[in-house]
mmCIF file of all heavy atoms in Angstrom:
data_model
loop_
_atom_site.group_PDB
_atom_site.id
_atom_site.type_symbol
_atom_site.label_atom_id
_atom_site.label_comp_id
_atom_site.label_asym_id
_atom_site.label_seq_id
_atom_site.Cartn_x
_atom_site.Cartn_y
_atom_site.Cartn_z
ATOM 1 N N GLN A 1 -43.035 10.539 -33.659
ATOM 2 C CA GLN A 1 -43.177 11.866 -34.275
ATOM 3 C C GLN A 1 -42.347 11.970 -35.551
ATOM 4 O O GLN A 1 -42.799 12.508 -36.564
ATOM 5 C CB GLN A 1 -42.744 12.968 -33.296
ATOM 6 C CG GLN A 1 -43.731 13.238 -32.179
ATOM 7 C CD GLN A 1 -43.565 14.644 -31.623
ATOM 8 O OE1 GLN A 1 -43.703 15.622 -32.356
ATOM 9 N NE2 GLN A 1 -43.263 14.748 -30.340
ATOM 10 N N MET A 2 -41.122 11.448 -35.507
ATOM 11 C CA MET A 2 -40.245 11.523 -36.684
ATOM 12 C C MET A 2 -40.788 10.665 -37.822
ATOM 13 O O MET A 2 -40.700 11.042 -38.997
ATOM 14 C CB MET A 2 -38.814 11.130 -36.309
ATOM 15 C CG MET A 2 -38.144 12.158 -35.403
ATOM 16 S SD MET A 2 -36.456 11.724 -34.911
ATOM 17 C CE MET A 2 -35.575 12.004 -36.449
ATOM 18 N N SER A 3 -41.375 9.520 -37.491
ATOM 19 C CA SER A 3 -41.943 8.647 -38.534
ATOM 20 C C SER A 3 -43.138 9.311 -39.211
ATOM 21 O O SER A 3 -43.454 9.018 -40.361
ATOM 22 C CB SER A 3 -42.356 7.291 -37.946
ATOM 23 O OG SER A 3 -43.541 7.436 -37.170
ATOM 24 N N GLN A 4 -43.810 10.225 -38.472
ATOM 25 C CA GLN A 4 -44.952 10.963 -39.022
ATOM 26 C C GLN A 4 -44.526 12.289 -39.654
ATOM 27 O O GLN A 4 -45.364 13.069 -40.093
ATOM 28 C CB GLN A 4 -45.977 11.258 -37.898
ATOM 29 C CG GLN A 4 -46.490 10.040 -37.160
ATOM 30 C CD GLN A 4 -47.281 9.118 -38.074
ATOM 31 O OE1 GLN A 4 -48.209 9.551 -38.732
ATOM 32 N NE2 GLN A 4 -46.888 7.854 -38.123
ATOM 33 N N ASP A 5 -43.199 12.547 -39.655
ATOM 34 C CA ASP A 5 -42.634 13.796 -40.176
ATOM 35 C C ASP A 5 -43.253 15.015 -39.492
ATOM 36 O O ASP A 5 -43.554 16.034 -40.120
ATOM 37 C CB ASP A 5 -42.819 13.886 -41.704
ATOM 38 C CG ASP A 5 -41.877 14.916 -42.328
ATOM 39 O OD1 ASP A 5 -40.820 15.177 -41.732
ATOM 40 O OD2 ASP A 5 -42.214 15.465 -43.396
ATOM 41 N N ARG A 6 -43.448 14.883 -38.164
ATOM 42 C CA ARG A 6 -44.001 16.007 -37.395
ATOM 43 C C ARG A 6 -42.956 17.115 -37.284
ATOM 44 O O ARG A 6 -41.754 16.857 -37.267
ATOM 45 C CB ARG A 6 -44.373 15.544 -35.972
ATOM 46 C CG ARG A 6 -45.370 14.403 -35.890
ATOM 47 C CD ARG A 6 -46.768 14.761 -36.362
ATOM 48 N NE ARG A 6 -47.414 15.845 -35.616
ATOM 49 C CZ ARG A 6 -47.933 15.727 -34.408
ATOM 50 N NH1 ARG A 6 -47.905 14.564 -33.755
ATOM 51 N NH2 ARG A 6 -48.522 16.752 -33.814
ATOM 52 N N LYS A 7 -43.451 18.352 -37.169
ATOM 53 C CA LYS A 7 -42.533 19.501 -37.033
ATOM 54 C C LYS A 7 -42.876 20.264 -35.745
ATOM 55 O O LYS A 7 -42.857 21.479 -35.720
ATOM 56 C CB LYS A 7 -42.677 20.431 -38.243
ATOM 57 C CG LYS A 7 -42.405 19.775 -39.591
ATOM 58 C CD LYS A 7 -40.921 19.721 -39.899
ATOM 59 C CE LYS A 7 -40.643 19.404 -41.357
ATOM 60 N NZ LYS A 7 -40.784 18.012 -41.713
ATOM 61 N N THR A 8 -43.228 19.545 -34.691
ATOM 62 C CA THR A 8 -43.652 20.201 -33.453
ATOM 63 C C THR A 8 -42.474 20.927 -32.793
ATOM 64 O O THR A 8 -41.321 20.506 -32.924
ATOM 65 C CB THR A 8 -44.232 19.183 -32.449
ATOM 66 O OG1 THR A 8 -43.191 18.263 -32.079
ATOM 67 C CG2 THR A 8 -45.401 18.399 -33.046
ATOM 68 N N THR A 9 -42.797 21.986 -32.083
ATOM 69 C CA THR A 9 -41.765 22.736 -31.358
ATOM 70 C C THR A 9 -41.044 21.824 -30.373
ATOM 71 O O THR A 9 -39.830 21.905 -30.213
ATOM 72 C CB THR A 9 -42.404 23.928 -30.614
ATOM 73 O OG1 THR A 9 -43.031 24.766 -31.583
ATOM 74 C CG2 THR A 9 -41.375 24.731 -29.843
ATOM 75 N N ALA A 10 -41.810 20.953 -29.704
ATOM 76 C CA ALA A 10 -41.220 20.044 -28.703
ATOM 77 C C ALA A 10 -40.156 19.151 -29.334
ATOM 78 O O ALA A 10 -39.049 18.987 -28.796
ATOM 79 C CB ALA A 10 -42.317 19.188 -28.064
ATOM 80 N N LEU A 11 -40.477 18.575 -30.488
ATOM 81 C CA LEU A 11 -39.517 17.688 -31.172
ATOM 82 C C LEU A 11 -38.320 18.484 -31.669
ATOM 83 O O LEU A 11 -37.164 18.085 -31.470
ATOM 84 C CB LEU A 11 -40.208 16.983 -32.341
ATOM 85 C CG LEU A 11 -39.325 16.045 -33.176
ATOM 86 C CD1 LEU A 11 -38.802 14.884 -32.332
ATOM 87 C CD2 LEU A 11 -40.077 15.527 -34.398
ATOM 88 N N LYS A 12 -38.576 19.636 -32.301
ATOM 89 C CA LYS A 12 -37.487 20.456 -32.847
ATOM 90 C C LYS A 12 -36.526 20.899 -31.752
ATOM 91 O O LYS A 12 -35.316 20.973 -31.958
ATOM 92 C CB LYS A 12 -38.061 21.695 -33.552
ATOM 93 C CG LYS A 12 -38.501 21.441 -34.986
ATOM 94 C CD LYS A 12 -38.878 22.768 -35.634
ATOM 95 C CE LYS A 12 -39.144 22.612 -37.119
ATOM 96 N NZ LYS A 12 -39.463 23.892 -37.759
ATOM 97 N N GLN A 13 -37.086 21.224 -30.571
ATOM 98 C CA GLN A 13 -36.249 21.711 -29.473
ATOM 99 C C GLN A 13 -35.286 20.627 -28.991
ATOM 100 O O GLN A 13 -34.094 20.880 -28.834
ATOM 101 C CB GLN A 13 -37.132 22.194 -28.317
ATOM 102 C CG GLN A 13 -36.340 22.825 -27.183
ATOM 103 C CD GLN A 13 -37.241 23.589 -26.241
ATOM 104 O OE1 GLN A 13 -37.897 24.559 -26.640
ATOM 105 N NE2 GLN A 13 -37.300 23.175 -24.991
ATOM 106 N N LEU A 14 -35.800 19.403 -28.785
ATOM 107 C CA LEU A 14 -34.920 18.310 -28.360
ATOM 108 C C LEU A 14 -33.874 18.026 -29.440
ATOM 109 O O LEU A 14 -32.690 17.863 -29.141
ATOM 110 C CB LEU A 14 -35.734 17.046 -28.064
ATOM 111 C CG LEU A 14 -34.877 15.812 -27.717
ATOM 112 C CD1 LEU A 14 -34.202 15.990 -26.356
ATOM 113 C CD2 LEU A 14 -35.691 14.536 -27.730
ATOM 114 N N GLN A 15 -34.318 17.966 -30.703
ATOM 115 C CA GLN A 15 -33.379 17.708 -31.799
ATOM 116 C C GLN A 15 -32.267 18.762 -31.821
ATOM 117 O O GLN A 15 -31.088 18.429 -31.951
ATOM 118 C CB GLN A 15 -34.120 17.715 -33.144
ATOM 119 C CG GLN A 15 -34.996 16.488 -33.357
ATOM 120 C CD GLN A 15 -35.853 16.614 -34.605
ATOM 121 O OE1 GLN A 15 -36.199 17.719 -35.029
ATOM 122 N NE2 GLN A 15 -36.211 15.490 -35.196
ATOM 123 N N GLY A 16 -32.659 20.023 -31.663
ATOM 124 C CA GLY A 16 -31.674 21.111 -31.672
ATOM 125 C C GLY A 16 -30.636 20.959 -30.576
ATOM 126 O O GLY A 16 -29.435 21.156 -30.804
ATOM 127 N N HIS A 17 -31.077 20.568 -29.379
ATOM 128 C CA HIS A 17 -30.142 20.402 -28.265
ATOM 129 C C HIS A 17 -29.226 19.191 -28.477
ATOM 130 O O HIS A 17 -28.045 19.232 -28.134
ATOM 131 C CB HIS A 17 -30.923 20.281 -26.947
ATOM 132 C CG HIS A 17 -31.617 21.550 -26.566
ATOM 133 N ND1 HIS A 17 -32.792 21.582 -25.840
ATOM 134 C CD2 HIS A 17 -31.319 22.848 -26.852
ATOM 135 C CE1 HIS A 17 -33.164 22.842 -25.664
ATOM 136 N NE2 HIS A 17 -32.303 23.609 -26.273
ATOM 137 N N MET A 18 -29.782 18.130 -29.060
ATOM 138 C CA MET A 18 -28.955 16.948 -29.360
ATOM 139 C C MET A 18 -27.910 17.269 -30.429
ATOM 140 O O MET A 18 -26.750 16.880 -30.317
ATOM 141 C CB MET A 18 -29.828 15.780 -29.806
ATOM 142 C CG MET A 18 -30.572 15.093 -28.680
ATOM 143 S SD MET A 18 -31.469 13.622 -29.259
ATOM 144 C CE MET A 18 -30.101 12.549 -29.751
ATOM 145 N N TRP A 19 -28.345 17.998 -31.476
ATOM 146 C CA TRP A 19 -27.392 18.356 -32.541
ATOM 147 C C TRP A 19 -26.299 19.265 -32.003
ATOM 148 O O TRP A 19 -25.131 19.112 -32.350
ATOM 149 C CB TRP A 19 -28.140 19.029 -33.701
ATOM 150 C CG TRP A 19 -28.955 18.062 -34.506
ATOM 151 C CD1 TRP A 19 -28.699 16.740 -34.721
ATOM 152 C CD2 TRP A 19 -30.183 18.342 -35.200
ATOM 153 N NE1 TRP A 19 -29.699 16.185 -35.505
ATOM 154 C CE2 TRP A 19 -30.613 17.144 -35.812
ATOM 155 C CE3 TRP A 19 -30.956 19.501 -35.372
ATOM 156 C CZ2 TRP A 19 -31.777 17.064 -36.578
ATOM 157 C CZ3 TRP A 19 -32.112 19.428 -36.127
ATOM 158 C CH2 TRP A 19 -32.510 18.217 -36.729
ATOM 159 N N ARG A 20 -26.686 20.213 -31.144
ATOM 160 C CA ARG A 20 -25.688 21.124 -30.568
ATOM 161 C C ARG A 20 -24.595 20.327 -29.860
ATOM 162 O O ARG A 20 -23.408 20.559 -30.072
ATOM 163 C CB ARG A 20 -26.364 22.090 -29.586
ATOM 164 C CG ARG A 20 -25.404 23.108 -28.972
ATOM 165 C CD ARG A 20 -26.112 23.953 -27.932
ATOM 166 N NE ARG A 20 -26.575 23.134 -26.816
ATOM 167 C CZ ARG A 20 -27.533 23.471 -25.976
ATOM 168 N NH1 ARG A 20 -28.174 24.619 -26.117
ATOM 169 N NH2 ARG A 20 -27.880 22.679 -24.986
ATOM 170 N N ALA A 21 -25.006 19.365 -29.028
ATOM 171 C CA ALA A 21 -24.027 18.545 -28.302
ATOM 172 C C ALA A 21 -23.121 17.779 -29.270
ATOM 173 O O ALA A 21 -21.914 17.669 -29.058
ATOM 174 C CB ALA A 21 -24.756 17.574 -27.361
ATOM 175 N N ALA A 22 -23.708 17.280 -30.368
ATOM 176 C CA ALA A 22 -22.933 16.502 -31.345
ATOM 177 C C ALA A 22 -21.969 17.384 -32.137
ATOM 178 O O ALA A 22 -20.827 16.989 -32.410
ATOM 179 C CB ALA A 22 -23.874 15.763 -32.289
ATOM 180 N N TYR A 23 -22.410 18.587 -32.500
ATOM 181 C CA TYR A 23 -21.526 19.515 -33.211
ATOM 182 C C TYR A 23 -20.359 19.936 -32.312
ATOM 183 O O TYR A 23 -19.200 19.935 -32.739
ATOM 184 C CB TYR A 23 -22.286 20.770 -33.637
ATOM 185 C CG TYR A 23 -23.089 20.646 -34.920
ATOM 186 C CD1 TYR A 23 -24.479 20.757 -34.906
ATOM 187 C CD2 TYR A 23 -22.464 20.466 -36.153
ATOM 188 C CE1 TYR A 23 -25.224 20.677 -36.079
ATOM 189 C CE2 TYR A 23 -23.197 20.384 -37.330
ATOM 190 C CZ TYR A 23 -24.580 20.489 -37.288
ATOM 191 O OH TYR A 23 -25.303 20.408 -38.445
ATOM 192 N N VAL A 24 -20.675 20.302 -31.070
ATOM 193 C CA VAL A 24 -19.653 20.801 -30.144
ATOM 194 C C VAL A 24 -18.565 19.750 -29.911
ATOM 195 O O VAL A 24 -17.377 20.068 -29.836
ATOM 196 C CB VAL A 24 -20.294 21.242 -28.803
ATOM 197 C CG1 VAL A 24 -19.250 21.479 -27.727
ATOM 198 C CG2 VAL A 24 -21.131 22.503 -29.018
ATOM 199 N N THR A 25 -18.964 18.478 -29.829
ATOM 200 C CA THR A 25 -17.978 17.417 -29.577
ATOM 201 C C THR A 25 -17.349 16.884 -30.866
ATOM 202 O O THR A 25 -16.517 15.985 -30.825
ATOM 203 C CB THR A 25 -18.637 16.232 -28.826
ATOM 204 O OG1 THR A 25 -19.794 15.807 -29.566
ATOM 205 C CG2 THR A 25 -19.056 16.633 -27.422
ATOM 206 N N GLY A 26 -17.754 17.450 -32.025
ATOM 207 C CA GLY A 26 -17.140 17.042 -33.294
ATOM 208 C C GLY A 26 -17.692 15.765 -33.884
ATOM 209 O O GLY A 26 -17.142 15.241 -34.861
ATOM 210 N N LEU A 27 -18.775 15.235 -33.304
ATOM 211 C CA LEU A 27 -19.370 13.997 -33.841
ATOM 212 C C LEU A 27 -19.980 14.228 -35.218
ATOM 213 O O LEU A 27 -19.988 13.342 -36.057
ATOM 214 C CB LEU A 27 -20.447 13.460 -32.885
ATOM 215 C CG LEU A 27 -19.960 12.712 -31.651
ATOM 216 C CD1 LEU A 27 -21.126 12.443 -30.705
ATOM 217 C CD2 LEU A 27 -19.295 11.406 -32.046
ATOM 218 N N ILE A 28 -20.526 15.433 -35.424
ATOM 219 C CA ILE A 28 -21.037 15.769 -36.756
ATOM 220 C C ILE A 28 -20.546 17.161 -37.148
ATOM 221 O O ILE A 28 -20.273 18.003 -36.281
ATOM 222 C CB ILE A 28 -22.592 15.714 -36.839
ATOM 223 C CG1 ILE A 28 -23.250 16.494 -35.697
ATOM 224 C CG2 ILE A 28 -23.099 14.309 -36.868
ATOM 225 C CD1 ILE A 28 -24.772 16.474 -35.736
ATOM 226 N N LYS A 29 -20.406 17.374 -38.455
ATOM 227 C CA LYS A 29 -19.994 18.678 -38.985
ATOM 228 C C LYS A 29 -20.930 19.058 -40.129
ATOM 229 O O LYS A 29 -21.413 18.187 -40.851
ATOM 230 C CB LYS A 29 -18.556 18.618 -39.530
ATOM 231 C CG LYS A 29 -17.473 18.636 -38.467
ATOM 232 C CD LYS A 29 -16.109 18.675 -39.121
ATOM 233 C CE LYS A 29 -14.978 18.559 -38.110
ATOM 234 N NZ LYS A 29 -14.850 19.705 -37.223
ATOM 235 N N GLY A 30 -21.169 20.359 -40.285
ATOM 236 C CA GLY A 30 -21.955 20.830 -41.426
ATOM 237 C C GLY A 30 -21.101 20.778 -42.677
ATOM 238 O O GLY A 30 -19.995 21.317 -42.698
ATOM 239 N N GLU A 31 -21.600 20.119 -43.711
ATOM 240 C CA GLU A 31 -20.823 20.003 -44.949
ATOM 241 C C GLU A 31 -21.091 21.196 -45.862
ATOM 242 O O GLU A 31 -22.233 21.529 -46.137
ATOM 243 C CB GLU A 31 -21.175 18.692 -45.668
ATOM 244 C CG GLU A 31 -20.643 17.477 -44.930
ATOM 245 C CD GLU A 31 -20.778 16.199 -45.743
ATOM 246 O OE1 GLU A 31 -20.712 16.272 -46.981
ATOM 247 O OE2 GLU A 31 -20.942 15.141 -45.117
ATOM 248 N N VAL A 32 -20.020 21.812 -46.319
ATOM 249 C CA VAL A 32 -20.124 22.996 -47.175
ATOM 250 C C VAL A 32 -19.353 22.724 -48.470
ATOM 251 O O VAL A 32 -18.184 22.341 -48.423
ATOM 252 C CB VAL A 32 -19.533 24.238 -46.461
ATOM 253 C CG1 VAL A 32 -19.666 25.474 -47.341
ATOM 254 C CG2 VAL A 32 -20.221 24.469 -45.123
ATOM 255 N N PHE A 33 -20.006 22.916 -49.605
ATOM 256 C CA PHE A 33 -19.323 22.737 -50.893
ATOM 257 C C PHE A 33 -18.176 23.740 -51.009
ATOM 258 O O PHE A 33 -18.277 24.879 -50.545
ATOM 259 C CB PHE A 33 -20.304 22.921 -52.051
ATOM 260 C CG PHE A 33 -21.332 21.817 -52.147
ATOM 261 C CD1 PHE A 33 -22.642 22.031 -51.746
ATOM 262 C CD2 PHE A 33 -20.981 20.561 -52.630
ATOM 263 C CE1 PHE A 33 -23.588 21.012 -51.830
ATOM 264 C CE2 PHE A 33 -21.924 19.542 -52.714
ATOM 265 C CZ PHE A 33 -23.223 19.763 -52.315
ATOM 266 N N GLU A 34 -17.091 23.313 -51.672
ATOM 267 C CA GLU A 34 -15.849 24.113 -51.648
ATOM 268 C C GLU A 34 -15.972 25.461 -52.373
ATOM 269 O O GLU A 34 -15.190 26.375 -52.113
ATOM 270 C CB GLU A 34 -14.678 23.313 -52.217
ATOM 271 C CG GLU A 34 -14.856 22.852 -53.644
ATOM 272 C CD GLU A 34 -13.702 21.964 -54.109
ATOM 273 O OE1 GLU A 34 -13.014 21.374 -53.266
ATOM 274 O OE2 GLU A 34 -13.522 21.878 -55.330
ATOM 275 N N ASP A 35 -16.953 25.610 -53.261
ATOM 276 C CA ASP A 35 -17.100 26.889 -53.970
ATOM 277 C C ASP A 35 -17.847 27.935 -53.147
ATOM 278 O O ASP A 35 -17.857 29.112 -53.514
ATOM 279 C CB ASP A 35 -17.852 26.665 -55.292
ATOM 280 C CG ASP A 35 -19.214 25.998 -55.088
ATOM 281 O OD1 ASP A 35 -19.241 24.758 -54.896
ATOM 282 O OD2 ASP A 35 -20.234 26.693 -55.092
ATOM 283 N N VAL A 36 -18.459 27.533 -52.048
ATOM 284 C CA VAL A 36 -19.380 28.419 -51.319
ATOM 285 C C VAL A 36 -18.664 29.567 -50.608
ATOM 286 O O VAL A 36 -18.994 30.740 -50.804
ATOM 287 C CB VAL A 36 -20.238 27.602 -50.316
ATOM 288 C CG1 VAL A 36 -21.012 28.519 -49.377
ATOM 289 C CG2 VAL A 36 -21.186 26.677 -51.068
ATOM 290 N N VAL A 37 -17.686 29.251 -49.774
ATOM 291 C CA VAL A 37 -17.047 30.289 -48.953
ATOM 292 C C VAL A 37 -16.342 31.346 -49.811
ATOM 293 O O VAL A 37 -16.553 32.548 -49.603
ATOM 294 C CB VAL A 37 -16.097 29.659 -47.903
ATOM 295 C CG1 VAL A 37 -15.282 30.738 -47.190
ATOM 296 C CG2 VAL A 37 -16.915 28.869 -46.873
#
């Protein structure tokens, strides 16, 4: 699905749950340019 650049709800839902777990454990962080805040 990802190789076909699909945007299905099923794929987005799993991705969202995986990202949530990674954000919560600090594995990934959202990068914000310093002028934004």
Side-chain angles (χ1 to χ4, degrees):
Q1 286 204 60
M2 291 179 73
S3 74
Q4 303 296 307
D5 198 26
R6 302 292 300 284
K7 302 277 195 282
T8 63
T9 300
L11 179 63
K12 276 187 172 182
Q13 185 166 298
L14 175 69
Q15 288 172 332
H17 292 150
M18 284 185 66
W19 287 330
R20 182 185 63 201
Y23 278 116
V24 168
T25 54
L27 282 171
I28 50 180
K29 283 184 186 292
E31 289 190 31
V32 181
F33 291 105
E34 60 185 22
D35 56 281
V36 170
V37 172

